[in-house]
Amino acid sequence: MTQIITIDQLDRAVEVLTNGGLVAFPTETVYGLGADAESSVAVSAVFEAKGRPAGHPLIVHLASASQLDRWAVDIDDRARRLAAEFWPGPLTIIVRRSEVVAPEAVGRRETIGLRVPDHPMTLELLDRFGGGLVGPSANRFGHVSPTAAQHVLDDLDGRIDLVLDGGPARVGLESTIVEVLDGPVTLLRPGGVSVDAIQAFLGEQVVDGRDGQSRAAGMLASHYAPRAPVTVVKSRHEAGLSDTDVVIATEPGEGQEHTIVLGPDAASFAHGLYAALRQADAMGPGRIVIVPPSTGLLLPAILDRLTKSSAPRH
Ligand code: TXA
Ligand code: MG
C-alpha cells in the first residue's frame, strides 16, 4: 500500500528517497514520480512503476539553479539566463549532461532535461534530500497526468512508497521543454511558460522542434489519454452530441448531455483539465467531447495535450 503523507512527515520522504525508494511529489505543473537521479536501481524502479518504455528520458528536478554545473557541462549562456529568469517555474531546459546522472534516467543520451519546480514542499524536499530527483509525471504510461495526490494513488497505489500531498497543482499542465545547445533554442513541448515569453526574454526566435523526429515522449501519437475516446471541437454544435457523451467546455449546454464547465479563461481551463478528464472517464461515457477556449497564453499547451489525448490508440 502506498501512503499519502503531508509536510510534517518530510523526513520519511527523504529517508525513502535516500534508500532508493519512490516518492511522488507535488509541483506547480503536475505531480512527479521522484527517485534519486544518481541511482540506476531507483531510476529503473520508476520506469517499472509507470510501465514506461526504457529509453524515454526523464526530467531531473533540482533545488536551485546553483546546482546547474553539477548536472550539466558546456552550458550555453542562454540556458543560464533562462534558468535565472524562469526557475523556480514550469520550464525544463535540455543541456549537455555531466557524468553525475544515472545513464538510465536520460535514456542513455548525452543531454539532460533540468528544472526547478515551483512548489514550497518539493523545494524543501529537494533541499533536504540534497541531490536531484527524476520526476516523470506520476501516472501510468500514456494516461492522464495527475494534478492531485489522489490521482497519483488512482494510478500507482501499491507500486510506489509515498505520495507527498501538496494540494491541487496550480498550473495543471506540464512544463514547457526547450533544448538549448549550440543552435537556435528549440521547443520540444509547449507548457506553462509561453514561447512568446521566452522569445521576448532572450530577444531571439525559438524554433519549433515538434515536427521533426520524436524527441520527447509526449510526441507519441496517443498520450495524456483517458479510457473513453476523446473528440476536440471548436463549438459543441460540431460534435453531434448524444446523451452518452460527457462534454468539457467553458459554458454549460442546453441538451441532455452532461457538461463539466471549466474556465472560462485558458489558465483556469488548463488548471482543471486533467481532473475533468479523469472525472469524465469515471462516468463511463461514449465519448468525451472537449470545447477548449479560443485564446490565452496557455492555449498552445492545451491544444498540444488535447491533440495527443484524442489521437488514435494502438
Ligand atoms: O511539468 C513537468 O515537466 C512534469 C513535472 C513532474 O515536473 N514532468 C514531466 O515529465 O512531464 P515526463 O517524464 O512526463 O515528461 C518529460 C518529457 C518527456 O517527453 C521526455 O521525452 C522529455 O521530457 N525529455 C526529458 N529529457 C529529455 C532529453 N534529454 N532530451 C529530449 N527530451 C527529453
Ligand atoms: Mg508524462
Side-chain angles (χ1 to χ4, degrees):
M1 271 263 298
T2 302
Q3 260 189 308
I4 296 192
I5 60 165
T6 52
I7 188 72
D8 47 303
Q9 290 160 289
L10 210 56
D11 286 343
R12 270 184 74 194
V14 174
E15 194 185 320
V16 166
L17 290 167
T18 304
N19 292 323
L22 308 186
V23 178
F25 57 78
T27 84
E28 79 283 29
T29 60
V30 301
Y31 276 67
L33 180 51
D36 183 353
E38 294 175 59
S39 161
S40 294
V41 174
V43 167
S44 302
V46 167
F47 282 91
E48 176 74 28
K50 274 187 66 95
R52 179 162 169 151
H56 285 249
L58 308 178
I59 294 171
V60 175
H61 296 71
L62 306 176
S64 94
S66 65
Q67 296 182 358
L68 252 180
D69 290 282
R70 182 168 142 71
W71 295 85
V73 295
D74 297 335
I75 305 170
D76 190 282
D77 185 54
R78 295 167 300 175
R80 289 189 194 279
R81 285 164 51 216
L82 286 172
E85 176 71 9
F86 292 103
W87 288 354
L91 180 69
T92 296
I93 306 175
I94 296 185
V95 287
R96 265 178 225 92
R97 71 173 176 88
S98 70
E99 296 300 313
V100 166
V101 71
E104 294 81 3
V106 292
R108 305 191 177 277
R109 288 164 199 237
E110 292 309 310
T111 55
I112 184 170
L114 296 171
R115 160 169 131 79
V116 176
D118 188 13
H119 195 293
M121 284 189 198
T122 295
L123 287 173
E124 178 76 27
L125 176 71
L126 283 161
D127 195 49
R128 287 209 221 164
F129 176 65
L133 294 176
V134 296
S137 50
N139 51 273
R140 291 283 289 172
F141 181 69
H143 194 215
V144 181
S145 298
T147 53
Q150 184 59 46
H151 299 164
V152 179
L153 272 197
D154 291 344
D155 274 31
L156 299 176
D157 192 12
R159 294 175 172 271
I160 65 176
D161 297 294
L162 298 174
V163 182
L164 179 59
D165 190 350
R170 176 170 54 82
V171 177
L173 293 179
E174 298 81 354
S175 61
T176 303
I177 304 180
V178 288
E179 191 175 75
V180 188
L181 299 172
D182 303 315
V185 174
T186 304
L187 177 74
L188 299 187
R189 181 176 74 183
V193 172
S194 74
V195 169
D196 288 349
I198 296 170
Q199 292 184 149
F201 173 71
L202 288 178
E204 64 177 60
Q205 286 292 115
V206 172
V207 173
D208 195 334
R210 290 177 296 159
D211 303 330
Q213 210 195 341
S214 172
R215 276 189 284 184
M219 302 201 51
L220 285 177
S222 176
H223 215 78
Y224 311 105
R227 283 186 301 273
V230 174
T231 304
V232 183
V233 290
K234 283 209 172 68
S235 88
R236 61 204 305 148
H237 311 293
E238 281 173 36
L241 289 175
S242 87
D243 300 1
T244 60
D245 293 332
V246 171
V247 180
I248 299 174
T250 55
E251 281 165 12
E254 280 143 30
Q256 292 297 303
E257 73 283 352
H258 184 90
T259 299
I260 301 171
V261 178
L262 294 181
D265 56 294
S268 34
F269 194 91
H271 172 76
L273 179 60
Y274 286 155
L277 283 172
R278 284 173 181 262
Q279 184 193 336
D281 217 16
M283 298 168 76
R287 293 183 304 172
I288 300 174
V289 176
I290 305 179
V291 195
S294 53
T295 58
L297 280 179
L298 278 172
L299 197 63
I302 291 172
L303 297 179
D304 173 81
R305 303 309 186 274
L306 291 181
T307 304
K308 281 156 197 153
S309 59
S310 61
R313 317 287 163 80
H314 298 288

